[in-house]
Amino acid sequence: MNTILIPRQYKWIGLAVFLLSFVGLIVIGMLYPETWEQSEPRRKIANVLMLIGLLLLVLSKERVEDEFINDCRLRAFRTAFLAGIIYFILDSADLLQGAVIKSSFGLLIFEIGIYLIMFYISKTGLKNGEQG
Amino acid sequence: MENRVKKYREEAGITQEGLAQQAGVSRQSIISIEKGQYVPTTILALKISKLLKAPVEDLFVLEKKDWK
């Protein structure tokens, strides 16, 4: 399977973009409380930057790209996709009262977060104890 | 599926890192294969078999449950 990926250094650029926009959003939100509104332009820009950062993180190559990494990627995508659908169903049925995720942006961040966690768990073998 | 990659690798005196480099994969891949967490593709299985100078059917052995 050939996966289109970007060079490895974009992982760090993506992480930096995500962290800077996340911290920036918090700082601006403290200075201007209206920023917490979803429709506020500064909030929207920060949200888009956070997503771009995470996208760079997800799409960048690993040190060694092989079939095992592709398998980890596939499993992580599957889990994240299913988690997103389950969340959406539960939310639609009003079973998630007081949930933190209240927008499509939140759902995307949730899915990418699940993807990244699952990918690193699969990659490092954390699920099954110590490495051989 | 039972696999005996670790046994054959140790008998051949090759490290996980060495085997990974020769097969063109990461060390993590070899670790996952040896622990049975990951079943390699035919191409990688054949590469490992050549590198360890062992028949592929000795390295990877089907178990009863694999037939279900």
Side-chain angles (χ1 to χ4, degrees):
Chain A
M1 183 176 74
N2 288 323
T3 316
I4 299 168
L5 296 166
I6 55 178
R8 185 172 154 76
Q9 57 266 36
Y10 282 93
K11 189 183 291 282
W12 308 114
I13 296 172
L15 190 63
V17 169
F18 172 75
L19 290 176
L20 285 174
S21 48
F22 181 70
V23 172
L25 179 66
I26 291 173
V27 171
I28 294 170
M30 286 196 297
L31 295 174
Y32 310 99
E34 69 273 15
T35 306
W36 298 118
E37 292 297 320
Q38 285 289 344
S39 56
E40 215 277 333
R42 281 172 294 211
R43 168 77 187 252
K44 279 187 173 175
I45 292 168
N47 284 355
V48 169
L49 283 174
M50 280 163 73
L51 278 178
I52 289 172
L54 286 177
L55 200 62
L56 291 175
L57 205 58
V58 167
L59 292 178
S60 55
K61 285 182 181 171
E62 290 301 305
R63 188 171 288 125
V64 178
E65 277 296 327
D66 59 12
E67 58 179 57
F68 172 68
I69 290 293
N70 269 336
D71 188 68
C72 293
R73 213 170 258 136
L74 183 69
R75 273 186 282 169
F77 268 124
R78 189 178 56 196
T79 309
F81 182 68
L82 287 175
I85 290 176
I86 290 168
Y87 184 91
F88 185 81
I89 291 169
L90 292 177
D91 193 36
S92 300
D94 270 344
L95 292 172
L96 297 172
Q97 309 258 326
V100 181
I101 305 168
K102 287 174 180 152
S103 63
S104 53
F105 163 76
L107 187 61
L108 281 173
I109 290 282
F110 170 74
E111 283 197 85
I112 297 177
I114 296 280
Y115 166 81
L116 289 171
I117 292 167
M118 288 311 296
F119 178 68
Y120 286 101
I121 285 177
S122 305
K123 197 180 90 167
T124 54
L126 287 177
K127 251 190 315 192
N128 293 292
E130 66 185 72
Q131 298 183 355
Chain B
M1 179 159 61
E2 181 197 341
N3 88 71
R4 301 168 184 157
V5 174
K6 188 175 183 179
K7 177 179 165 273
Y8 277 90
R9 179 182 58 75
E10 285 173 349
E11 279 174 12
I14 303 173
T15 60
Q16 288 175 332
E17 187 67 47
L19 182 61
Q21 274 183 3
Q22 290 181 65
V25 296
S26 64
R27 181 171 162 256
Q28 193 56 53
S29 302
I30 301 298
I31 291 169
S32 299
I33 291 168
E34 288 186 353
K35 286 164 79 176
Q37 291 172 358
Y38 175 65
V39 178
T41 60
T42 314
I43 294 175
L44 182 54
L46 289 169
K47 278 185 189 175
I48 293 171
S49 155
K50 272 214 183 280
L51 291 167
L52 297 181
K53 296 180 180 71
V56 75
E57 60 268 31
D58 284 356
L59 289 172
F60 302 97
V61 183
L62 284 173
E63 292 174 300
K64 247 185 186 172
K65 63 180 178 186
D66 294 316
W67 291 98
K68 286 176 186 169

